[in-house]
């Protein structure tokens, strides 16, 4: 786990763009009780490329290290994926040794634990466009199934990490904690990943929607304001207090889908759909059907 710590610290520090020198990097790690040699530092930088697909380069003129722009997406994914693992280790050992915890907690999202050895294989497959066979423990059949997929990217939802991939013509999401094994094949794939990623960024949750991108306005009881500020429903979320101060509005720019409806229903009487009217009618219909079940 020590190796993951300095992977995390190195990426997070170099990503800031200050072109740290070799000496600065070693001194920075020492500040967090990590003593490594120059040789180990060079090996770590090399392993970031081979194991995670993130290239760290030396700028000869500035005599410092940097991450090229084309690797920033991979860098962010690596940091997100290993944050919880590093944090858990730091907290577990904080009673035994002096450890500065704060630099390990820089993400607002609450991330779930991801099997790091599988992440390494999947990153390499994603970057080099190799199809992979994953052995997946299905919660429905309670058995291990094999899926040959084109691994595209990772998506976080409710603190759980999912692998988004294409199996045949179908886009599917696999919960990473249920992936038992990953086998990289020699078969290549070609997909418009940015288009697929953009579509996922316009929804809440995991269920793709064929609906139009719309402005959703929800009215909440004021007591949920702090909660929704700390855990936004979507990255497009905007909050405004109503004039009487008893309620506040949440504006979202998303494609309505099943996940959005379930979130609205979860808040019960504390939320009201202001617009669009079609979504309000769908929620009313769901509530009526729920009443019929209990009558």
């Amino acid at each position: 786990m020590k190796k993951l710590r300095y992977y995390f610290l190195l990426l997070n520090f170099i990503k800031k763009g200050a072109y740290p020198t070799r000496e600065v990097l070693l001194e920075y790690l020492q500040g967090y009780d990590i003593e490594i040699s120059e040789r180990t530092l060079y090996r770590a930088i090399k392993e970031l490329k081979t194991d995670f697909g993130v290239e760290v380069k030396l700028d000869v003129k500035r005599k410092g290290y940097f991450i090229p722009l084309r690797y920033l997406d991979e860098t962010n994914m690596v940091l997100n994926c290993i944050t919880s693992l590093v944090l858990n280790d730091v907290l577990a050992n904080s009673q035994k040794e002096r450890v500065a915890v704060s630099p390990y907690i820089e993400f607002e999202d609450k991330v779930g634990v991801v099997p790091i050895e599988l992440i390494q294989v999947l990153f390499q497959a994603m970057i080099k466009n190799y199809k992979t066979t994953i052995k997946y423990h299905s919660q429905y059949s309670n058995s291990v199934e094999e899926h040959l997929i084109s691994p595209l990217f990772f998506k976080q939802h409710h603190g759980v990490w999912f692998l988004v991939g294409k199996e045949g013509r179908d886009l599917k999401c696999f919960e990473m904690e249920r992936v038992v094994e990953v086998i990289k094949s020699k078969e290549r794939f070609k997909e418009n990943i940015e288009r697929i990623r953009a579509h996922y960024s316009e929804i809440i949750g995991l269920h793709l929607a064929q609906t139009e991108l719309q402005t959703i306005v929800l009215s909440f009881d004021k007591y949920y304001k702090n909660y929704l500020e700390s855990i936004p429903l979507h990255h497009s979320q905007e909050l405004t207090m109503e004039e009487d101060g008893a309620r506040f509005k949440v504006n979202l720019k998303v494609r309505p889908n099943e996940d959005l409806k379930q979130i609205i229903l979860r808040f019960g009487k504390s939320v009201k759909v202001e617009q669009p009217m079609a979504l309000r009618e769908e929620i009313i219909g769901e509530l009526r059907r729920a009443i019929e079940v209990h009558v």
Side-chain angles (χ1 to χ4, degrees):
M1 188 61 73
K2 177 183 176 182
K3 181 179 287 190
L4 280 183
R5 286 199 203 176
Y6 62 71
Y7 278 167
F8 180 90
L9 287 168
L10 286 173
L11 282 179
N12 215 29
F13 190 46
I14 297 172
K15 180 189 169 188
K16 295 178 180 179
Y19 294 87
T21 63
R22 174 192 60 205
E23 292 78 14
V24 169
L25 288 174
L26 290 172
E27 183 178 352
Y28 177 73
L29 292 176
Q30 288 173 4
Y32 299 105
D33 298 325
I34 296 178
E35 298 277 351
I36 62 172
S37 64
E38 291 183 8
R39 185 176 179 180
T40 301
L41 176 63
Y42 291 141
R43 186 167 62 246
I45 290 173
K46 182 179 179 180
E47 288 171 349
L48 285 171
K49 175 65 185 297
T50 58
D51 293 348
F52 293 98
V54 176
E55 186 170 1
V56 176
K57 288 192 171 184
L58 176 66
D59 187 306
V60 179
K61 291 184 178 180
R62 303 192 188 194
K63 298 181 180 180
Y65 290 92
F66 71 101
I67 299 172
L69 287 175
R70 65 180 180 275
Y71 290 102
L72 286 182
D73 284 343
E74 286 82 3
T75 301
N76 289 330
M77 284 194 290
V78 171
L79 287 171
N80 272 313
C81 288
I82 67 176
T83 296
S84 61
L85 290 172
V86 173
L87 178 58
N88 289 341
D89 180 63
V90 170
L91 295 178
N93 290 284
S94 60
Q95 301 299 321
K96 304 174 184 177
E97 56 184 15
R98 183 179 64 83
V99 178
V101 176
S102 59
Y104 295 95
I105 311 173
E106 293 202 3
F107 295 92
E108 295 179 356
D109 294 336
K110 299 181 182 298
V111 297
V113 175
V114 181
I116 199 69
E117 68 279 1
L118 301 183
I119 289 291
Q120 293 177 355
V121 178
L122 286 167
F123 265 123
Q124 292 177 19
M126 288 176 183
I127 294 165
K128 298 179 181 178
N129 295 336
Y130 279 111
K131 289 188 176 183
T132 59
T133 295
I134 64 170
K135 294 185 178 181
Y136 186 75
H137 190 274
S138 172
Q139 61 180 329
Y140 302 108
S141 64
N142 196 29
S143 61
V144 176
E145 305 170 348
E146 288 193 3
H147 300 267
L148 177 62
I149 66 168
S150 302
L152 304 178
F153 54 89
F154 297 101
K155 181 174 175 62
Q156 182 194 353
H157 181 53
H158 290 323
V160 178
W161 282 100
F162 291 84
L163 166 65
V164 178
K166 203 165 187 180
E167 186 173 25
R169 294 185 176 182
D170 300 326
L171 280 170
K172 295 186 177 181
C173 294
F174 300 91
E175 188 176 338
M176 279 302 302
E177 291 182 354
R178 292 184 173 274
V179 177
V180 179
E181 186 179 355
V182 177
I183 305 169
K184 189 170 66 175
S185 75
K186 295 182 179 180
E187 184 180 354
R188 297 287 189 113
F189 69 87
K190 183 181 290 186
E191 291 289 345
N192 188 339
I193 298 176
E194 290 307 313
R195 180 182 61 81
I196 297 172
R197 191 197 298 270
H199 201 158
Y200 268 98
S201 73
E202 294 173 347
I203 64 170
I204 290 176
L206 304 170
H207 296 89
L208 288 176
Q210 300 303 318
T211 53
E212 295 295 323
L213 187 64
Q214 302 176 44
T215 297
I216 311 296
V217 182
L218 307 175
S219 175
F220 280 89
D221 187 285
K222 66 179 181 180
Y223 298 107
Y224 282 98
K225 187 172 184 294
N226 290 339
Y227 174 79
L228 290 175
E229 284 179 335
S230 61
I231 308 178
L233 299 178
H234 189 255
H235 61 78
S236 65
Q237 173 177 293
E238 294 180 356
L239 276 62
T240 56
M241 288 299 298
E242 296 186 11
E243 291 184 2
D244 60 5
R247 300 181 70 82
F248 67 96
K249 288 184 178 179
V250 172
N251 284 27
L252 305 168
K253 193 75 172 180
V254 297
R255 297 175 185 267
N257 64 352
E258 188 62 29
D259 295 89
L260 173 61
K261 288 195 292 184
Q262 291 304 315
I263 286 175
I264 293 171
L265 291 169
R266 190 181 71 202
F267 282 98
K269 65 179 183 179
S270 297
V271 63
K272 176 184 176 182
V273 178
E274 297 284 355
Q275 66 179 59
M277 289 302 298
L279 178 59
R280 181 192 290 188
E281 292 300 322
E282 287 186 48
I283 296 299
I284 291 173
E286 291 285 350
L287 292 172
R288 283 175 177 164
R289 285 187 286 274
I291 291 172
E292 290 173 0
V293 171
H294 291 85
V295 172

